[in-house]
Amino acid sequence: MNEEPEGERLPPSIGGLVDFAFTSYAGRAPLYLGLVLFVFLVESAVEFALPAAQVGTPRGDVKAAVLEYAALFADSYVIAAVALGVGARLAGEQRSSRHIAAAALGRWLPVLATAVIVQTIIDLTVPLSGLGPVPDPPALLILTAPVLWLLWGMLSLALPITALADERPVFAVFAGLTRAISFSLRPANLPRLVVVAFISIIPNLLLVIVRDAMLQHHLDRPIYLSIAVIDALTVGLIAALQTVFAIDFARRAADQRSA
């Protein structure tokens, strides 16, 4: 991804960026709704292929891990397609949905590799994020949770950046991660990183709410199906928002250097 995209320019305000992301997503609604169905079918197929397991048990933990990486497999293709669609609009390129879908296949594996790295970091740090079991002492979350949410938001930008990177797939993963960190840490982008962080944890917040509510009613399999529904409905739209902010971060970083 070039630091300064050519063609249509992004709006300067946060509200304008959000509106641009929604408009870009709606502009290819048939493609993206088809991808929503793809994600749900993949995750549902894996869910029903695995035996029922109680959440919190060793078997349940294994099943959750399998479902998590099945979701990454499907989500990575959606993220690649959405990022390429947004990038095409900004570049003023008239690409058909079929062309976007085909191009996304070429970026699927590097985006998947990036997603695995990012998810591994999230899994390792989630105990201190406030979205898992409460640590001892609980007050520790006051310090760690905001920092981790910002870190997750920063790393979430690596996926669309990887999809849009000019480098060959084998180098795109490194480019996505390093540029996401570099752009996010620039002073001009730090306030907007807070917005990205909030956007990025919305699915996790929804999953925690659904999981806890269903556990209170002793439901297990519906939890995993609910996860599939939440993931399918949020992954594409959040990818559009992350892509728009990633490109905006690159633009603002370039403007700051030239000032």
Side-chain angles (χ1 to χ4, degrees):
M1 183 182 77
N2 293 326
E3 293 187 359
E4 181 66 23
E6 299 178 356
E8 185 175 352
R9 288 185 62 85
L10 288 172
S13 67
I14 292 177
L17 294 175
V18 173
D19 180 69
F20 186 93
F22 278 105
T23 303
S24 298
Y25 189 82
R28 296 186 183 274
L31 170 63
Y32 297 146
L33 290 177
L35 294 178
V36 165
L37 180 61
F38 165 70
V39 170
F40 178 73
L41 290 177
V42 168
E43 295 184 30
S44 297
V46 174
E47 157 62 18
F48 284 109
L50 299 173
Q54 185 176 356
V55 176
T57 64
R59 179 180 292 182
D61 292 341
V62 171
K63 180 175 181 177
V66 173
L67 287 170
E68 180 178 275
Y69 284 92
L72 291 181
F73 175 83
D75 290 351
S76 296
Y77 180 71
V78 177
I79 293 169
V82 172
L84 291 171
V86 172
R89 179 178 176 181
L90 283 170
E93 299 174 357
Q94 300 297 321
R95 295 188 181 184
S96 66
S97 293
R98 178 176 297 181
H99 186 279
I100 293 295
L105 287 173
R107 309 306 292 180
W108 191 352
L109 288 182
V111 174
L112 176 59
T114 306
V116 169
I117 294 172
V118 171
Q119 188 61 49
T120 300
I121 294 173
I122 292 175
D123 289 343
L124 291 174
T125 56
V126 74
L128 297 176
S129 69
L131 300 178
V134 177
D136 187 23
L140 186 62
L141 292 177
I142 299 175
L143 299 175
T144 60
V147 173
L148 288 177
W149 294 353
L150 289 175
L151 173 64
W152 295 355
M154 184 187 308
L155 293 175
S156 72
L157 299 178
L159 278 67
I161 293 175
T162 297
L164 295 173
D166 295 330
E167 287 81 3
R168 290 186 298 178
V170 68
F171 299 111
V173 177
F174 177 77
L177 290 167
T178 56
R179 289 174 188 165
I181 295 172
S182 174
F183 294 157
S184 297
L185 291 179
R186 292 184 178 272
N189 292 331
L190 287 176
R192 298 184 179 213
L193 179 60
V194 176
V195 178
V196 174
F198 176 73
I199 291 171
S200 301
I201 66 169
I202 287 176
N204 291 325
L205 291 173
L206 293 175
L207 293 177
V208 169
I209 293 170
V210 169
R211 181 196 64 197
D212 291 348
M214 290 191 170
L215 283 175
Q216 289 181 358
H217 294 84
H218 306 289
L219 301 173
D220 289 316
R221 189 177 288 273
I223 293 178
Y224 297 109
L225 292 178
S226 298
I227 290 172
V229 172
I230 292 171
D231 185 39
L233 292 177
T234 60
V235 61
L237 186 53
I238 289 180
L241 289 162
Q242 290 169 339
T243 302
V244 168
F245 273 93
I247 297 174
D248 177 66
F249 279 23
R251 177 192 65 179
R252 291 168 64 84
D255 290 346
Q256 187 182 43
R257 285 200 304 269
S258 62

